[in-house]
């Protein structure tokens, strides 16, 4: 049995209204009184599909969510800043509709000419989007002749625009971004070149446990940093002070440690930490001498010995997958671990892949994008894909070939 997906190149697009589900859920910053896009990776990565549809003479109708407006209009989550950015990079007008469904966008969709681009206002201003309501999907279906799924970062959600709408559209395909994500992530999932080093950080073991478990039979070295590491250290009997560490997470960590031992997977944990007295305290910062953290302190970044240990572990790897920051990297005093690790990975000869918004943002901030083989636009979607879960937005487009 072979699973494939319909490709964009197989669709007839000329003069067709082409709904492209994109993931324009990008961070915004307030500049003066207006919001601007502060990290455009997801928009940039959607451009090949948008340009392709334009070149083929299609009418591009873009649908996306932004943030969590919880089913109602909220100016803070308007796609207006995204429309402005898109218009400047495409060098053409991008019409932003006031609402994503109804008479107005439907009328506009019929007035569009080949090559025009229209951006629908935030899909999540309607509760039907997240509820995957048939009525809402039907209203979206009225806007288009063709459906293209290019929102990789949202494919783990069965929402109206990722699941209901493609079910209602006969002419449909994955876009060029989704094709690229699968091109890099599928071989990583199935058969990473060994030695394979998995580097996980961030805050919650429970979010990453699936990926850790999935890769245990395929991984040679597992490096754990970030807040997650304290559950592992606690599980091994070290003192973690006030660091983030919940009993449930410690139990999960114990399970991973047992399985890693049984499989001879090398587990690399922090040997020292950058600590302060509390989350948000950037005044009383110090570095521990060893692994234990005193009762009054909280670990907020990995220390220099740990960075050196990670450097040594990276040396022999042929494949590296990195997800999650090594500390509270949003705060400059706790960002060193994350940026150093990004630099160290960039220097290796391994195939280097990254998933998750925080790690990707750190790489971009350090100007290291070009050293990486692939930076996924997904966070949760990438992790769910890699742990072998079905992504609803992908599943709905599957073509099963019996071999
Ligand atoms: P995640 O979404 O699970 O990848 O977690 C990312 C978040 O983990 C970031 O916002 C970091 O600030 C946070 N983080 C990383 N290390 C620590 C730490 N030692 N203590 C508290 N939060 C952390």
């Amino acid at each position: 049995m072979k699973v494939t997906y319909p490709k964009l190149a197989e669709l007839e697009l000329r003069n067709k209204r082409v709904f492209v589900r994109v993931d324009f859920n990008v961070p915004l910053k307030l500049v003066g009184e207006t919001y601007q896009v502060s990290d455009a990776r997801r928009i940039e990565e959607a451009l090949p599909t948008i340009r392709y549809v334009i070149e083929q003479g299609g009418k591009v109708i873009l649908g996306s969510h932004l943030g969590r407006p919880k089913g109602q209009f909220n100016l803070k989550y308007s796609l207006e800043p995204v429309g402005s950015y898109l218009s400047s990079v495409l060098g053409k007008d991008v019409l932003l509709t006031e609402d994503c469904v109804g008479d107005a966008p439907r009328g506009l969709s019929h007035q569009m000419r080949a090559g025009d681009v229209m951006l629908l206002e935030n899909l999540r201003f309607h509760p039907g989007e997240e509820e995957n309501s048939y009525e809402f999907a039907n209203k979206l279906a009225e806007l288009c002749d063709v459906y293209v799924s290019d929102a990789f970062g949202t494919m783990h959600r069965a929402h109206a625009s990722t699941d209901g709408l493609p079910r209602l559209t006969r002419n449909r395909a994955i876009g060029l971004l989704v094709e690229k994500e699968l091109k890099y992530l599928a071989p990583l999932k199935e058969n990473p070149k060994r030695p394979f080093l998995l580097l996980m950080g961030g805050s919650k073991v429970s979010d990453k446990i699936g990926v850790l478990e999935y890769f245990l039979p395929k991984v040679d070295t597992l490096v754990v940093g970030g807040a997650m590491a304290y559950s592992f250290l606690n599980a091994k009997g070290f003192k973690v002070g006030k660091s983030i560490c919940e009993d449930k997470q410690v139990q999960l960590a114990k399970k991973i440690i047992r399985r890693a031992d049984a499989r001879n997977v090398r587990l690399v944990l922090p040997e020292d930490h950058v600590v302060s007295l509390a989350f948000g305290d950037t005044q009383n910062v110090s570095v521990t001498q060893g692994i234990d953290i005193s009762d009054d302190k909280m670990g907020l970044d990995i220390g220099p010995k740990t960075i050196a240990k990670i450097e040594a572990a990276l040396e022999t790897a042929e494949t590296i997958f990195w997800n999650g920051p090594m500390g509270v990297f949003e705060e400059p005093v706790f960002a060193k671990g994350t940026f150093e690790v990004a630099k160290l990975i960039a220097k290796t000869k391994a195939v280097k892949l990254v998933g998750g918004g925080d790690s990707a943002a750190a790489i971009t901030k350090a100007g290291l994008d070009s050293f990486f083989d692939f930076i996924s636009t997904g966070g949760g979607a990438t992790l769910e894909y890699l742990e072998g879960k079905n992504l609803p937005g992908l599943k709905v487009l599957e073509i099963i070939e019996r071999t």
Side-chain angles (χ1 to χ4, degrees):
M1 196 176 84
K2 194 174 158 220
V3 175
T4 60
Y5 304 95
K7 303 269 167 49
L8 189 55
E10 295 159 13
L11 294 176
E12 174 56 49
L13 301 175
R14 185 154 300 280
N15 282 318
K16 297 282 193 300
R17 296 172 307 155
V18 184
F19 184 105
V20 186
R21 178 42 162 119
V22 283
D23 187 342
F24 286 166
N25 183 29
V26 293
L28 302 177
K29 60 173 183 242
L30 201 55
V31 180
E33 296 201 336
T34 53
Y35 282 103
Q36 282 179 14
V37 173
S38 64
D39 179 349
R41 180 189 306 280
R42 285 179 163 173
I43 305 176
E44 293 287 337
E45 293 286 351
L47 291 177
T49 295
I50 297 171
R51 291 200 172 113
Y52 178 83
V53 178
I54 293 172
E55 279 159 24
Q56 297 295 310
K59 305 165 184 178
V60 188
I61 300 172
L62 300 164
S64 177
H65 70 285
L66 176 75
R68 295 175 185 214
K70 303 209 170 91
Q72 51 185 318
F73 177 84
N74 183 339
L75 192 59
K76 194 172 146 198
Y77 298 113
S78 168
L79 281 162
E80 206 272 328
V82 171
S84 305
Y85 182 90
L86 195 58
S87 171
S88 69
V89 285
L90 286 174
K92 64 191 309 166
D93 286 342
V94 172
L95 178 71
L96 177 72
T97 62
E98 256 179 56
D99 197 355
C100 58
V101 287
D103 292 344
R106 196 180 50 242
L108 288 167
S109 78
H110 286 295
Q111 285 165 24
M112 290 173 83
R113 286 175 310 193
D116 280 354
V117 181
M118 180 160 93
L119 173 63
L120 302 174
E121 186 52 287
N122 199 334
L123 298 169
R124 288 195 190 166
F125 285 171
H126 287 261
E129 165 64 357
E130 288 182 83
E131 287 163 6
N132 196 4
S133 104
Y134 176 77
E135 286 72 27
F136 185 69
N138 229 342
K139 284 185 186 166
L140 291 174
E142 288 174 358
L143 304 177
C144 62
D145 311 306
V146 174
Y147 174 85
V148 178
S149 174
D150 217 20
F152 186 77
T154 322
M155 283 197 141
H156 57 320
R157 306 282 180 226
H159 291 171
S161 64
T162 57
D163 179 71
L165 176 58
R167 288 178 195 278
L168 295 170
T169 323
R170 188 201 300 259
N171 297 310
R172 53 194 202 165
I174 57 169
L176 300 175
L177 172 59
V178 170
E179 216 177 308
K180 181 167 133 189
E181 294 271 359
L182 297 179
K183 181 178 143 202
Y184 285 96
L185 295 179
L188 173 70
K189 179 173 141 189
E190 299 307 331
N191 194 15
K193 190 158 178 228
R194 313 280 292 257
F196 172 37
L197 182 143
L198 182 61
L199 181 75
M200 299 292 274
S203 55
K204 278 218 172 118
V205 185
S206 51
D207 284 1
K208 327 257 168 159
I209 183 96
V211 173
L212 294 175
E213 288 195 315
Y214 174 84
F215 277 121
L216 276 177
K218 299 175 193 272
V219 76
D220 300 280
T221 307
L222 174 59
V223 183
V224 182
M228 265 175 71
Y230 304 113
S231 298
F232 282 79
L233 291 175
N234 180 295
K236 281 185 151 268
F238 293 102
K239 289 187 184 159
V240 299
K242 290 199 286 182
S243 311
I244 291 182
C245 181
E246 290 165 26
D247 195 46
K248 203 178 122 212
Q249 316 276 333
V250 175
Q251 297 315 317
L252 293 175
K254 278 188 182 157
K255 196 163 101 180
I256 295 291
I257 293 169
R258 262 198 319 272
R259 295 199 182 161
D261 276 350
R263 292 191 171 270
N264 271 331
V265 172
R266 184 173 163 215
L267 180 60
V268 177
L269 296 174
E271 305 228 312
D272 59 351
H273 322 270
V274 180
V275 295
S276 75
L277 296 177
F279 196 85
D281 168 21
T282 55
Q283 299 303 311
N284 304 289
V285 179
S286 58
V287 178
T288 61
Q289 285 304 307
I291 304 180
D292 287 319
I293 299 175
S294 59
D295 291 347
D296 59 332
K297 303 243 167 63
M298 181 174 203
L300 293 161
D301 193 12
I302 53 173
K305 284 184 205 156
T306 309
I307 294 173
K309 197 173 161 195
I310 294 176
E311 180 171 22
L314 289 170
E315 234 167 57
T316 50
E318 291 286 341
T319 309
I320 298 169
F321 178 69
W322 177 29
N323 170 276
M326 297 290 104
V328 183
F329 80 115
E330 297 91 339
E331 208 49 83
V333 279
F334 306 119
K336 188 164 180 205
T338 301
F339 286 107
E340 286 301 313
V341 161
K343 282 187 216 155
L344 293 173
I345 299 175
K347 277 201 316 206
T348 66
K349 58 176 188 341
V351 175
K352 302 173 264 290
L353 304 113
V354 178
D358 290 336
S359 329
I363 289 167
T364 303
K365 211 165 164 195
L368 297 170
D369 281 46
S370 61
F371 292 93
F372 284 77
D373 295 271
F374 182 62
I375 300 175
S376 176
T377 53
T382 308
L383 294 182
E384 289 195 20
Y385 177 79
L386 289 177
E387 70 183 84
K389 282 192 184 161
N390 273 319
L391 306 186
L394 204 52
K395 179 98 188 134
V396 70
L397 297 169
E398 263 181 10
I399 300 171
I400 307 221
E401 288 172 12
R402 314 232 169 255
T403 47

